[in-house]
Amino acid sequence: MAKIVTMPSTPNFIRSNFVLRRAVGSIASPYTGKVRTQEYDGVFWESTVSLPPMRRDVAKNWQSFLLELNGPVNHFKFADPDALTNLGTYNADDLKAKNRVNETSIELDFSATTQTITAPSNTTPFSNAVVGDFIVVTGSANPENNGTHKITTITNAYTVVVESESGGLVTEADKTGCKIQSNRKGATGLNLASSTNSATGTILKGDYLQITSSSTTGANPVQYVMVTQDATLNVISGADTYGVKIQPKLRTAITANHLIRFATPKGLFRLTSNDIDWDADNISNYGISFSCIEVV
């Protein structure tokens, strides 16, 4: 079983390259030039970093860290070196996941004209939703109706107007067996709430979030995501709630009260190579660089 090795905190890197890798297949027609794409589950961060010149008394800490990683076997917590502090003003360490919509089997109508999703009038799937929440729909016969949608208007407890990640809904009536859920695998938007009623502030485009493994404070990261749109803020029963658009998509579903780290968020990474090397000159200035990839 892999162990987590603590990375030295100083010095910070002087150069970094941060990449999001996606598994997307594409095929182009040789006759029309039209391209069809297929997105797969594989999506993860990769980075190459370089440390400043160091004397041996400092370099030994990084040498020991890299050797303890045992190539790609063990893991370490790591973040974008140029974005260690978020831009938003949210003033607590963590947020909590809030699954305000969770219907596992329901009939739905979809309207391309009004961009509405409507359930039967004797149901209340959106009774706990707020404007700005993200919902994940599955079960439609049309791929445009499935996936992540942002609620822009709540007409009543069974009808919402949405902004679709697919670019727009397709008209479809009386589709049974659909699901409408929050914070599900594949979601590109999270529904969150402040960890306490006194916690408040903004979550801004470009901020990173750490998806943790549980609702326990200090739980290890399982995914590292970036906020791609300023979060929508509402207040419910004295607590700030947030609809947060993210990339990449959520790798696994998160349950209610699952913790999302805002303060100094990190992901879980491993080295990409079995080999470790460093350079040194005649006055014991050491140069160290390495590449790593997010654990999936």
Side-chain angles (χ1 to χ4, degrees):
M1 181 176 178
K3 67 177 182 179
I4 297 178
V5 181
T6 301
M7 188 178 77
S9 57
T10 58
N12 196 12
F13 305 102
I14 58 170
R15 188 177 302 107
S16 65
N17 175 255
F18 219 64
V19 181
L20 183 64
R21 305 284 186 194
R22 298 181 187 273
V24 179
S26 63
I27 184 168
S29 167
Y31 306 107
T32 65
K34 291 183 178 180
V35 177
R36 297 187 65 181
T37 61
Q38 174 64 54
E39 184 178 0
Y40 298 97
D41 283 346
V43 56
F44 46 83
W45 299 98
E46 189 171 341
S47 183
T48 298
V49 291
S50 298
L51 288 156
M54 299 172 287
R55 291 301 177 93
R56 187 180 179 189
D57 62 328
V58 178
K60 67 181 182 180
N61 299 321
W62 286 94
Q63 291 170 313
S64 299
F65 158 70
L66 292 169
L67 293 174
E68 283 291 325
L69 288 172
N70 193 20
V73 173
N74 292 321
H75 305 158
F76 62 101
K77 296 176 184 178
F78 180 78
D80 181 347
D82 199 45
L84 298 178
T85 302
N86 279 330
L87 301 172
T89 61
Y90 181 74
N91 60 4
D93 290 343
D94 300 300
L95 298 122
K96 293 181 178 181
K98 292 297 178 183
N99 298 345
R100 291 185 280 270
V101 179
N102 187 29
E103 291 288 340
T104 57
S105 183
I106 194 167
E107 179 182 307
L108 293 177
D109 292 344
F110 303 87
S111 170
T113 304
T114 58
Q115 292 298 296
T116 55
I117 299 175
T118 304
S121 59
N122 62 345
T123 65
T124 58
F126 306 115
S127 58
N128 295 319
V130 294
V131 170
D133 272 356
F134 289 88
I135 55 174
V136 178
V137 174
T138 55
S140 169
N142 296 285
E144 295 87 350
N145 296 338
N146 292 321
T148 303
H149 310 286
K150 182 179 181 178
I151 297 175
T152 58
T153 304
I154 300 176
T155 306
N156 49 50
Y158 56 89
T159 304
V160 291
V161 182
V162 299
E163 180 182 290
S164 175
E165 288 289 279
S166 67
L169 299 177
V170 173
T171 297
E172 182 179 6
D174 304 328
K175 180 58 181 176
T176 60
C178 293
K179 295 181 180 180
I180 324 168
Q181 297 174 295
S182 304
N183 300 327
R184 307 310 299 169
K185 176 183 177 181
T188 54
L190 304 177
N191 297 338
L192 308 176
S194 56
S195 55
T196 66
N197 282 5
S198 61
T200 188
T202 59
I203 302 172
L204 299 180
K205 180 190 301 185
D207 287 345
Y208 284 99
L209 299 175
Q210 171 185 320
I211 312 297
T212 68
S213 58
S214 72
S215 59
T216 303
T217 301
N220 288 323
V222 294
Q223 191 174 2
Y224 189 56
V225 299
M226 178 182 277
V227 178
T228 59
Q229 185 181 84
D230 292 353
T232 303
L233 171 62
N234 291 282
V235 180
I236 300 177
S237 301
D240 285 5
T241 65
Y242 301 87
V244 186
K245 191 175 183 181
I246 62 164
Q247 283 291 339
K249 61 187 177 183
L250 197 60
R251 193 173 292 139
T252 57
I254 51 178
T255 56
N257 297 319
H258 210 103
L259 291 183
I260 311 298
R261 183 82 176 175
F262 180 84
T264 60
K266 292 181 172 65
L268 200 62
F269 284 72
R270 57 162 39 108
L271 294 179
T272 59
S273 173
N274 295 334
D275 302 324
I276 297 298
D277 66 275
W278 53 80
D279 300 314
D281 62 18
N282 62 338
I283 57 171
S284 294
N285 275 328
Y286 282 72
I288 297 176
S289 300
F290 62 89
S291 296
C292 57
I293 193 169
E294 189 181 11
V295 176
V296 296

Short mmCIF file of all heavy atoms in Angstrom, two decimals, residues 1-2 10 20 52 58 73 86-87 93 122 131 138 149 167 184 197 203 206 208-209 213 231 235 237 268 275 285 287:
data_model
loop_
_atom_site.label_atom_id
_atom_site.label_comp_id
_atom_site.label_asym_id
_atom_site.label_seq_id
_atom_site.Cartn_x
_atom_site.Cartn_y
_atom_site.Cartn_z
N MET A 1 0.85 -1.20 0.00
CA MET A 1 0.00 0.00 0.00
C MET A 1 0.88 1.24 0.00
O MET A 1 1.87 1.31 0.73
CB MET A 1 -0.92 0.00 1.22
CG MET A 1 -1.86 1.18 1.29
SD MET A 1 -2.97 1.06 2.71
CE MET A 1 -3.87 2.60 2.53
N ALA A 2 0.52 2.22 -0.81
CA ALA A 2 1.32 3.45 -0.90
C ALA A 2 1.21 4.26 0.38
O ALA A 2 0.16 4.33 1.00
CB ALA A 2 0.86 4.28 -2.09
N THR A 10 10.15 24.37 1.96
CA THR A 10 11.03 25.42 1.42
C THR A 10 12.26 24.78 0.78
O THR A 10 12.68 23.69 1.18
CB THR A 10 11.49 26.39 2.53
OG1 THR A 10 12.17 25.65 3.55
CG2 THR A 10 10.30 27.14 3.12
N LEU A 20 -3.19 19.92 -17.52
CA LEU A 20 -4.34 19.05 -17.31
C LEU A 20 -4.44 18.11 -18.50
O LEU A 20 -4.64 18.54 -19.64
CB LEU A 20 -5.62 19.86 -17.18
CG LEU A 20 -6.89 19.05 -16.88
CD1 LEU A 20 -6.78 18.35 -15.53
CD2 LEU A 20 -8.14 19.93 -16.92
N PRO A 52 15.29 26.19 -6.83
CA PRO A 52 16.44 27.10 -7.00
C PRO A 52 17.72 26.40 -6.58
O PRO A 52 17.69 25.36 -5.90
CB PRO A 52 16.10 28.25 -6.04
CG PRO A 52 15.25 27.62 -4.99
CD PRO A 52 14.43 26.59 -5.70
N VAL A 58 20.47 22.17 2.60
CA VAL A 58 19.06 22.30 2.22
C VAL A 58 18.67 21.21 1.22
O VAL A 58 17.60 20.59 1.32
CB VAL A 58 18.77 23.68 1.63
CG1 VAL A 58 17.31 23.79 1.19
CG2 VAL A 58 19.10 24.78 2.64
N VAL A 73 5.82 4.76 -6.62
CA VAL A 73 5.12 3.89 -5.66
C VAL A 73 4.37 4.70 -4.60
O VAL A 73 3.17 4.49 -4.36
CB VAL A 73 6.11 2.92 -4.98
CG1 VAL A 73 5.41 2.14 -3.86
CG2 VAL A 73 6.71 1.97 -6.00
N ASN A 86 -5.46 31.04 -2.55
CA ASN A 86 -6.60 31.36 -3.40
C ASN A 86 -6.89 32.86 -3.42
O ASN A 86 -6.53 33.60 -2.50
CB ASN A 86 -7.84 30.60 -2.95
CG ASN A 86 -7.85 29.17 -3.46
OD1 ASN A 86 -7.32 28.89 -4.53
ND2 ASN A 86 -8.47 28.27 -2.72
N LEU A 87 -7.58 33.30 -4.47
CA LEU A 87 -7.93 34.71 -4.64
C LEU A 87 -9.22 35.08 -3.92
O LEU A 87 -9.42 36.23 -3.54
CB LEU A 87 -8.07 35.03 -6.14
CG LEU A 87 -6.84 34.77 -7.00
CD1 LEU A 87 -7.18 34.95 -8.47
CD2 LEU A 87 -5.70 35.70 -6.61
N ASP A 93 -11.31 27.13 6.63
CA ASP A 93 -10.45 26.16 5.95
C ASP A 93 -11.23 25.31 4.94
O ASP A 93 -10.73 25.01 3.85
CB ASP A 93 -9.78 25.24 6.97
CG ASP A 93 -8.72 25.94 7.80
OD1 ASP A 93 -8.27 27.03 7.39
OD2 ASP A 93 -8.36 25.40 8.86
N ASN A 122 -47.04 16.71 -8.97
CA ASN A 122 -47.24 16.14 -7.64
C ASN A 122 -45.92 15.72 -6.99
O ASN A 122 -45.91 15.02 -5.97
CB ASN A 122 -48.19 14.95 -7.69
CG ASN A 122 -47.67 13.81 -8.55
OD1 ASN A 122 -46.73 13.98 -9.33
ND2 ASN A 122 -48.29 12.64 -8.42
N VAL A 131 -31.02 29.00 -6.66
CA VAL A 131 -30.47 29.49 -7.93
C VAL A 131 -28.95 29.47 -7.85
O VAL A 131 -28.34 29.90 -6.87
CB VAL A 131 -30.97 30.92 -8.21
CG1 VAL A 131 -30.22 31.53 -9.39
CG2 VAL A 131 -32.46 30.92 -8.49
N THR A 138 -29.29 12.22 -15.54
CA THR A 138 -29.02 11.01 -16.32
C THR A 138 -30.35 10.34 -16.65
O THR A 138 -31.35 10.56 -15.97
CB THR A 138 -28.11 10.01 -15.55
OG1 THR A 138 -28.72 9.71 -14.27
CG2 THR A 138 -26.74 10.60 -15.31
N HIS A 149 -26.09 20.73 -15.37
CA HIS A 149 -26.87 21.93 -15.70
C HIS A 149 -26.86 22.87 -14.50
O HIS A 149 -26.97 22.43 -13.35
CB HIS A 149 -28.32 21.57 -16.03
CG HIS A 149 -28.48 20.47 -17.04
ND1 HIS A 149 -28.23 20.66 -18.38
CD2 HIS A 149 -28.84 19.17 -16.90
CE1 HIS A 149 -28.46 19.52 -19.03
NE2 HIS A 149 -28.82 18.60 -18.14
N GLY A 167 -24.74 23.04 -24.03
CA GLY A 167 -25.06 24.09 -24.97
C GLY A 167 -26.54 24.32 -25.15
O GLY A 167 -26.95 25.32 -25.75
N ARG A 184 -22.44 14.51 -8.15
CA ARG A 184 -22.27 13.14 -8.64
C ARG A 184 -21.02 13.02 -9.48
O ARG A 184 -20.48 14.01 -9.99
CB ARG A 184 -23.49 12.72 -9.47
CG ARG A 184 -24.83 12.89 -8.81
CD ARG A 184 -24.87 12.31 -7.42
NE ARG A 184 -24.63 10.87 -7.38
CZ ARG A 184 -24.42 10.17 -6.26
NH1 ARG A 184 -24.39 10.79 -5.09
NH2 ARG A 184 -24.23 8.87 -6.32
N ASN A 197 -21.78 28.76 10.39
CA ASN A 197 -22.57 29.94 10.05
C ASN A 197 -21.75 31.22 10.05
O ASN A 197 -22.12 32.20 9.42
CB ASN A 197 -23.74 30.08 11.02
CG ASN A 197 -24.87 29.12 10.70
OD1 ASN A 197 -24.76 28.28 9.81
ND2 ASN A 197 -25.96 29.23 11.44
N ILE A 203 -15.72 32.77 -3.46
CA ILE A 203 -14.93 31.73 -4.14
C ILE A 203 -14.87 32.16 -5.59
O ILE A 203 -15.90 32.29 -6.25
CB ILE A 203 -15.58 30.34 -3.99
CG1 ILE A 203 -15.73 29.97 -2.52
CG2 ILE A 203 -14.76 29.29 -4.73
CD1 ILE A 203 -16.55 28.70 -2.29
N GLY A 206 -10.45 30.72 -10.90
CA GLY A 206 -9.02 30.54 -10.76
C GLY A 206 -8.60 29.98 -9.42
O GLY A 206 -7.45 29.54 -9.26
N TYR A 208 -8.35 27.14 -6.53
CA TYR A 208 -8.31 25.68 -6.51
C TYR A 208 -9.08 25.16 -5.30
O TYR A 208 -9.17 25.83 -4.27
CB TYR A 208 -6.87 25.17 -6.43
CG TYR A 208 -6.09 25.24 -7.72
CD1 TYR A 208 -5.20 26.28 -7.96
CD2 TYR A 208 -6.22 24.25 -8.69
CE1 TYR A 208 -4.46 26.34 -9.14
CE2 TYR A 208 -5.49 24.30 -9.88
CZ TYR A 208 -4.60 25.35 -10.09
OH TYR A 208 -3.88 25.41 -11.26
N LEU A 209 -9.62 23.95 -5.42
CA LEU A 209 -10.28 23.26 -4.32
C LEU A 209 -9.71 21.86 -4.19
O LEU A 209 -9.34 21.23 -5.19
CB LEU A 209 -11.79 23.17 -4.56
CG LEU A 209 -12.57 24.47 -4.67
CD1 LEU A 209 -14.03 24.19 -5.02
CD2 LEU A 209 -12.48 25.29 -3.39
N SER A 213 -11.26 12.94 1.11
CA SER A 213 -11.77 11.57 1.07
C SER A 213 -12.96 11.33 1.99
O SER A 213 -13.57 10.26 1.93
CB SER A 213 -10.63 10.60 1.44
OG SER A 213 -10.12 10.90 2.73
N ALA A 231 -18.22 31.84 -7.99
CA ALA A 231 -19.30 31.04 -7.41
C ALA A 231 -20.53 31.89 -7.12
O ALA A 231 -20.43 33.06 -6.74
CB ALA A 231 -18.82 30.36 -6.14
N VAL A 235 -27.65 32.59 0.90
CA VAL A 235 -27.63 32.35 2.34
C VAL A 235 -28.87 31.55 2.72
O VAL A 235 -30.00 31.96 2.43
CB VAL A 235 -27.58 33.66 3.14
CG1 VAL A 235 -27.57 33.36 4.64
CG2 VAL A 235 -26.34 34.47 2.76
N SER A 237 -30.57 29.63 6.06
CA SER A 237 -30.54 29.42 7.52
C SER A 237 -29.26 29.94 8.15
O SER A 237 -28.66 29.28 9.01
CB SER A 237 -30.73 27.93 7.83
OG SER A 237 -31.96 27.46 7.32
N LEU A 268 -3.23 14.88 -4.55
CA LEU A 268 -2.34 13.77 -4.23
C LEU A 268 -1.62 13.36 -5.51
O LEU A 268 -2.27 13.05 -6.51
CB LEU A 268 -3.14 12.60 -3.66
CG LEU A 268 -2.35 11.57 -2.85
CD1 LEU A 268 -1.71 12.21 -1.63
CD2 LEU A 268 -3.26 10.42 -2.42
N ASP A 275 13.36 6.99 -11.80
CA ASP A 275 14.71 7.50 -11.55
C ASP A 275 14.68 8.85 -10.86
O ASP A 275 13.82 9.69 -11.14
CB ASP A 275 15.47 7.63 -12.88
CG ASP A 275 15.55 6.31 -13.63
OD1 ASP A 275 15.68 5.27 -12.98
OD2 ASP A 275 15.47 6.35 -14.88
N ASN A 285 26.54 23.71 -4.91
CA ASN A 285 25.22 24.20 -5.27
C ASN A 285 24.48 23.10 -6.01
O ASN A 285 24.95 22.62 -7.05
CB ASN A 285 25.32 25.44 -6.17
CG ASN A 285 25.47 26.71 -5.37
OD1 ASN A 285 24.96 26.83 -4.27
ND2 ASN A 285 26.19 27.67 -5.94
N GLY A 287 21.17 21.41 -8.02
CA GLY A 287 20.00 21.69 -8.86
C GLY A 287 19.11 20.46 -8.92
O GLY A 287 19.59 19.36 -9.21
#
